[in-house]
Amino acid sequence: MKKSMQRILAIVLVAVIGVGIGAGAYFFLISEAAEYKWDNTTDDIMDTVPGIDEEVPQNRIIKFGVLDDMGYITGKGAENGARLAAYEINTRGGVNIGNETYYVGIETEDTEEANPALDLSRGVAAAERMIYYKKAQFILGGFRTEALQAYREIVMDAKKIFFITGSATAKFCQDVYNDYNKYKYTFRIQPLNEVFLAGEVIRMLAATIVDQKENHDKNITKIAIMREDLAWTARMSGSINGLMPFFSAFIYGDNRLQVVEEIAYPQTAGPVNFYGYWADIKASGADVTIPIISGPTGLYYSDVYGDTNQPSLSLGINVMGQQNIFWEQTGGNCEYEIAMTSFIRHAKTPFTIPFWDHYVGNFSTAPIYTATGAYDAVQAVVTSIIDGQSLATDDVLAELEKSEWQGIDPNWTTPTGIPRMPKYGMGSPTATISFWTDGTYHRDVDSATAGIQHTRHDVVEGSEPLGHAVFVQWVYDSANPTLGKWECVPLGPIPGISDDYMLGTYFGLGSWEPPMYTDQPWGQVITANITWPVR
Amino acid sequence: MLTDIMQVLVLGSVEGAVYMLIAVGYSLVYGTGGIMNLAHGAFYLIAGYMLYWYLGTLGLFTSVVLALIIVTLIGGISYLALIKPLEKKSQLSVVMVTFAIAFFIEQIVKLGCSILGFEKESTLPNLIEIKGTVSFELFGTIIPYDYVFILIISFLIVSLITLFISKSKLGTSIRAISQDREAATLMGINADRVLMFTVMISAFLAGVAAVIYVPSYPIAPWQGWVILTNSFAVVILGGMGSLPGSVLGAFILSYASHFTRVFIDPAISTLVPMFVIVVMLALRPQGILGKKEID
């Protein structure tokens, strides 16, 4: 028995070695097969060179590689956004460099970073394959800090421009400032970093508190936080906790506004765990619960939220809640939940609605933040290639870093009149393509620090309507009871509260204008009053 | 295509060199005392975090020295306090206690990050930067200076350890115990003391691997388990107790893993170490060059 087992295993081993040698010979000896080919045959948006119905010579493809969890909405969003940008660029005639026409190609590699049992080597392996075998010239994607941290090293070592499209961790762009020589190829295009995201959540919270106090005679004093136990959520929570006394002092004149419950749960948490978490929050008497969730557990969060008839208002970041099918996914349990998103179908910029419609038309789903991030990233790189007339990484980098913004509409300036919108931003659906070039956390370019060569390559949380999140509430829709609907809830201004003082002082951000949707140059957002949970 | 292969060879060589350091230590302890040390990955972990925690305040040199001293001491204390008392009772107890040490160190690392205010996962700045650049190009292959440093240090340390084992008095004792512990004890060699030094050397090697590799590869609290699994695969492949086998195994496994991930499929590459463990244990448990005693 033992001998026959050994024989079987020996045959298996010989077979594996044989296949290995065969595969090796196939890859390394047959030159045709040796090079990875960016094959393209149709003009399908899902083909390698979207919008082109014929094979494109390999040296005429501008190769973009998407690294993300392709089995999760962040990865699919990044891929779709990149494909849409490629499709639009290619069908407009491609990119002219010198007298040659190039087309944009998209390839993906799965990093499996949404996996609760994260394996860092999986993302590293994906990055190595994308760069060294598929020969991607530009990289985009990534959303989970821990994974991204590992595979970004591979991308930086290979000196490839890398647009982060899904991680809020400030450190990625802080690294650009601290260790420019190594990390200068890193850019973040979505989302806002965690410090600013915390600010956005706090502003929404403040608007809610004031609204309830003044219009409904309801005093909100108890806040709960439920978050994934991850580095970025810990830092965001720290910012929110730190700001709480300021808010309390301004709104109530004392310290009654407090975080009464904070739950940091593991990535492996299942629905059963969420019944426990929500029971704790209910017992704490929280008026508002702030979720800080980017992963798939956001579905459990919302599902159990409704299932247990939570009396608190859910208000914060739940990436799953950015999908237009979320009502359906949760069976309506997400009702009353207010989720932060980059934009909805409104005229945030002249390009928002066309982008939205084109995206939905092609992919039959609403774009989440990684989708617009990837879309913007491809557009930004291609614009830089055209301007610099070069595909070389350092030439593209130089163009991306240029601070002489061109074609800026007078409206697109800071309150002090200093333009901060790069040329690419005008084409951005979210208008968040602004990169710090002054090397400080100040929003306005400071003459004292202007000229510093170092930069953070990060997006700016800017004055309205640039670089601001949108908050949407899931509400019942009698016309569409199985799908529900979003209503954009107003974010400000906040009567009687000086944002400058609260956020400006706390973060040393300087002065800025609070967002006012009604003031937008390209249209109005449909706003609605906050609907408080009726439980 | 040649550039791609070169690039993969560079990546494989660097990881191979790191695993060589780790696996040599692992193999040394097994070959000498028959100890299956599941805390070996945790030694890497604690040294990496020591460097991470101290780098900002103490500077590179002091942090490295301190990290290596601490991890070496932890190795010695682990042996004296936990492994030695159980060693004579049963091998299973030793395995279980080293498993517990690994978990304990992982939790210590997490706790340490919380108390000291550090992120649990992080990257460190490159060790070497020359004229504002962190890498150079050789025939189209990008090679970070740190990689060259890792290769030099790894081979230097492994050579010194080999020399130490073959020439020094302690090395002779290690070899004697690995051949016949009872006879060596009858000849007056203090086996417990020698084993303690062996575990300390092993921890030191894991520590060296950490301090040279962490600037190139981020650290995370759970990384100890990945290091353990991969180094286990390396010694199974090369042969438990065989130092040349560990060197050979480290590079074979690393090249196989990198070639698979780049040219075939990243998902398959993560299976390579598991595949090696299963097949080698079933077909040739002693590994390619394996023998019980240290060579």
Side-chain angles (χ1 to χ4, degrees):
Chain A
M1 184 64 189
K2 194 183 167 193
K3 275 196 169 179
S4 58
M5 196 64 192
Q6 279 189 340
R7 271 181 200 153
I8 292 167
L9 283 167
I11 292 166
V12 171
L13 186 64
V14 169
V16 168
I17 291 168
V19 170
I21 291 169
Y26 176 77
F27 277 109
F28 303 127
L29 301 178
I30 306 168
S31 59
E32 276 295 304
E35 299 285 344
Y36 182 82
K37 211 170 169 197
W38 289 52
D39 278 327
N40 186 74
T41 48
T42 70
D43 62 356
D44 193 289
I45 196 164
M46 299 310 288
D47 209 344
T48 308
V49 186
I52 303 299
D53 63 355
E54 58 189 9
E55 193 170 313
V56 180
Q58 297 296 297
N59 61 356
R60 289 288 175 268
I61 301 174
I62 303 172
K63 296 168 180 165
F64 281 84
V66 182
L67 295 174
D68 213 307
D69 192 315
M70 305 316 296
Y72 184 52
I73 54 172
T74 53
K76 281 313 291 176
E79 181 189 355
N80 292 346
R83 287 191 176 283
L84 190 67
Y87 185 88
E88 290 177 1
I89 292 163
N90 292 341
T91 51
R92 279 204 307 262
V95 180
N96 283 314
I97 305 172
N99 292 321
E100 301 289 349
T101 303
Y102 291 74
Y103 296 100
V104 177
I106 307 292
E107 277 276 4
T108 63
E109 275 297 332
D110 191 357
T111 59
E112 289 184 10
E113 58 200 91
N115 188 343
L118 179 67
D119 175 5
L120 291 183
S121 66
R122 187 68 180 79
V124 170
E128 285 184 8
R129 182 171 166 81
M130 181 60 85
I131 291 167
Y132 298 122
Y133 186 48
K134 292 190 171 178
K135 298 283 180 57
Q137 295 157 297
F138 304 99
I139 306 293
L140 52 100
F143 93 103
R144 184 162 166 189
T145 306
E146 293 80 358
L148 187 49
Q149 206 156 238
Y151 65 76
R152 184 180 63 143
E153 295 294 300
I154 302 297
V155 183
M156 292 301 105
D157 283 345
K159 299 184 174 179
K160 300 288 177 194
I161 286 175
F162 183 15
F163 271 82
I164 295 169
T165 58
S167 172
T169 298
K171 184 180 179 299
F172 288 126
C173 292
Q174 186 66 28
D175 284 343
V176 179
Y177 181 72
N178 292 338
D179 193 353
Y180 183 77
N181 289 328
K182 181 175 181 182
Y183 293 110
K184 63 186 172 190
Y185 302 106
T186 300
F187 288 82
R188 188 205 326 274
I189 203 152
Q190 274 286 350
L192 293 170
N193 71 42
E194 66 222 353
V195 179
F196 290 143
L197 282 183
E200 299 273 310
V201 170
I202 282 286
R203 272 203 305 282
M204 185 65 230
L205 178 65
T208 306
I209 291 171
V210 172
D211 171 61
Q212 295 299 309
K213 185 169 179 275
E214 296 194 349
N215 302 325
H216 305 280
D217 203 23
K218 181 178 175 67
N219 280 345
I220 293 170
T221 57
K222 295 176 180 175
I223 309 298
I225 297 173
M226 202 192 302
R227 62 180 176 87
E228 296 161 324
D229 189 10
L230 294 174
W232 77 277
T233 70
R235 286 188 294 266
M236 237 189 101
S237 166
S239 299
I240 292 170
N241 274 287
L243 282 167
M244 211 54 80
F246 287 88
F247 272 102
S248 195
F250 273 101
I251 297 169
Y252 297 117
D254 54 32
N255 64 347
R256 79 181 78 168
L257 185 62
Q258 290 191 339
V259 174
V260 292
E261 183 76 35
E262 176 157 356
I263 294 165
Y265 65 83
Q267 293 281 286
T268 48
V272 175
N273 302 94
F274 278 86
Y275 279 94
Y277 304 148
W278 275 119
D280 289 346
I281 286 177
K282 203 170 194 173
S284 73
D287 302 303
V288 171
T289 302
I290 299 174
I292 312 174
I293 304 168
S294 64
T297 51
L299 186 63
Y300 307 142
Y301 168 90
S302 301
D303 205 19
V304 181
Y305 170 67
D307 217 21
T308 52
N309 287 316
Q310 290 294 319
S312 63
L313 179 76
S314 173
L315 181 165
I317 298 172
N318 181 0
V319 172
M320 289 292 279
Q322 293 182 8
Q323 301 176 100
N324 55 346
I325 56 167
F326 198 52
W327 183 279
E328 216 176 346
Q329 282 182 323
T330 60
N333 278 336
C334 64
E335 188 176 11
Y336 308 118
E337 187 175 337
I338 296 175
M340 180 197 282
T341 188
S342 301
F343 63 113
I344 55 173
R345 191 183 181 281
H346 71 284
K348 192 173 186 182
T349 78
F351 299 89
T352 312
I353 290 175
F355 166 77
W356 182 282
D357 290 347
H358 201 184
Y359 189 95
V360 173
N362 276 288
F363 306 112
S364 304
T365 184
I368 66 165
Y369 75 111
T370 57
T372 184
Y375 179 87
D376 286 348
V378 173
Q379 299 280 9
V381 169
V382 167
T383 311
S384 298
I385 290 169
I386 293 167
D387 290 350
Q389 285 294 291
S390 169
L391 280 165
T393 303
D394 286 333
D395 293 340
V396 177
L397 176 68
E399 285 296 325
L400 284 167
E401 284 190 335
K402 272 187 181 170
S403 55
E404 306 94 48
W405 317 135
Q406 297 166 8
I408 299 166
D409 188 294
N411 292 324
W412 296 81
T413 59
T414 67
T416 49
I418 300 165
R420 69 150 72 91
M421 195 71 182
K423 48 198 166 182
Y424 324 109
M426 296 302 286
S428 164
T430 50
T432 50
I433 310 183
S434 299
F435 303 115
W436 271 305
T437 53
D438 63 339
T440 74
Y441 264 120
H442 290 281
R443 292 164 189 223
D444 295 333
V445 178
D446 183 344
S447 58
T449 55
I452 288 179
Q453 289 183 342
H454 287 178
T455 166
R456 285 186 170 81
H457 289 180
D458 208 345
V459 286
V460 172
E461 185 196 33
S463 60
E464 178 61 21
L466 309 185
H468 276 290
V470 175
F471 285 85
V472 290
Q473 185 168 35
W474 279 101
V475 293
Y476 177 75
D477 183 6
S478 55
N480 238 331
T482 54
L483 293 176
K485 67 174 178 181
W486 277 330
E487 275 183 355
C488 191
V489 290
L491 186 54
I494 307 159
I497 297 177
S498 162
D499 278 297
D500 288 357
Y501 183 85
M502 284 188 295
L503 295 175
T505 303
Y506 191 76
F507 290 119
L509 297 174
S511 66
W512 62 288
E513 292 291 320
M516 296 173 68
Y517 289 129
T518 51
D519 240 351
Q520 286 187 67
W522 292 290
Q524 302 275 318
V525 175
I526 301 164
T527 58
N529 287 325
I530 293 164
T531 309
W532 201 264
V534 183
R535 312 283 198 192
Chain B
M1 192 62 193
L2 201 61
T3 313
D4 303 341
I5 296 171
M6 270 185 65
Q7 191 72 60
V8 175
L9 282 174
V10 167
L11 294 168
S13 300
V14 170
E15 198 174 279
V18 172
Y19 275 109
M20 170 179 75
L21 277 172
I22 299 167
V24 162
Y26 193 89
S27 209
L28 187 64
V29 172
Y30 181 80
T32 311
I35 299 166
M36 184 75 79
N37 183 12
L38 299 189
H40 199 59
F43 291 158
Y44 172 96
L45 194 69
I46 195 76
Y49 273 92
M50 290 288 166
L51 176 63
Y52 171 41
W53 292 337
Y54 299 141
L55 190 61
T57 47
L58 300 179
L60 182 64
F61 181 75
T62 315
S63 308
V64 167
V65 171
L66 202 60
L68 292 178
I69 289 173
I70 289 174
V71 76
T72 308
L73 288 176
I74 287 174
I77 292 166
S78 299
Y79 177 76
L80 286 178
L82 299 164
I83 299 172
K84 187 184 152 193
L86 295 170
E87 202 195 346
K88 292 178 182 79
K89 290 177 183 166
S90 81
Q91 276 300 308
L92 184 63
S93 305
V94 174
V95 171
M96 292 310 290
V97 83
T98 56
F99 193 55
I101 294 169
F103 263 115
F104 181 74
I105 289 177
E106 185 182 341
Q107 296 311 315
I108 286 290
V109 158
K110 286 181 183 172
L111 194 67
C113 286
S114 302
I115 293 170
L116 299 171
F118 283 88
E119 302 293 351
K120 288 195 193 82
E121 298 86 13
S122 190
T123 47
L124 267 64
N126 276 44
L127 289 172
I128 304 168
E129 190 174 310
I130 299 171
K131 291 179 183 169
T133 59
V134 291
S135 59
F136 64 98
E137 229 172 288
L138 188 69
F139 304 119
T141 306
I142 296 169
I143 306 171
Y145 295 118
D146 280 9
Y147 284 9
V148 179
F149 180 72
I150 289 170
L151 287 169
I152 292 171
I153 294 294
S154 302
F155 279 103
L156 186 68
I157 296 284
V158 167
S159 304
L160 288 175
I161 288 290
T162 310
L163 206 64
F164 176 78
I165 287 170
S166 61
K167 302 288 182 195
S168 72
K169 194 180 167 191
L170 180 60
T172 309
S173 302
I174 289 172
R175 282 186 289 131
I177 289 174
S178 76
Q179 285 161 11
D180 190 331
R181 184 169 176 172
E182 206 174 323
T185 309
L186 288 172
M187 294 301 289
I189 295 172
N190 184 339
D192 289 338
R193 189 169 152 271
V194 171
L195 276 176
M196 182 194 75
F197 281 122
T198 311
V199 176
M200 288 173 78
I201 291 169
S202 150
F204 171 78
L205 289 173
V208 172
V211 296
I212 60 173
Y213 198 39
V214 160
S216 298
Y217 197 94
I219 42 170
W222 60 83
Q223 210 176 349
W225 300 108
V226 180
I227 296 285
L228 178 71
T229 313
N230 289 350
S231 52
F232 190 63
V234 166
V235 293
I236 293 282
L237 180 64
M240 284 282 213
S242 166
L243 302 193
S246 295
V247 175
L248 190 65
F251 283 96
I252 290 177
L253 196 75
S254 189
Y255 289 136
S257 180
H258 278 272
F259 273 93
T260 310
R261 68 171 62 166
V262 172
F263 295 112
I264 299 172
D265 190 334
I268 296 174
S269 74
T270 53
L271 298 175
V272 170
M274 303 301 148
F275 180 78
V276 166
I277 290 172
V278 171
V279 172
M280 288 306 288
L281 284 177
L283 284 182
R284 192 177 160 82
Q286 69 272 38
I288 300 172
L289 304 176
K291 42 185 174 180
K292 169 67 178 68
E293 69 270 18
I294 295 296
D295 49 12

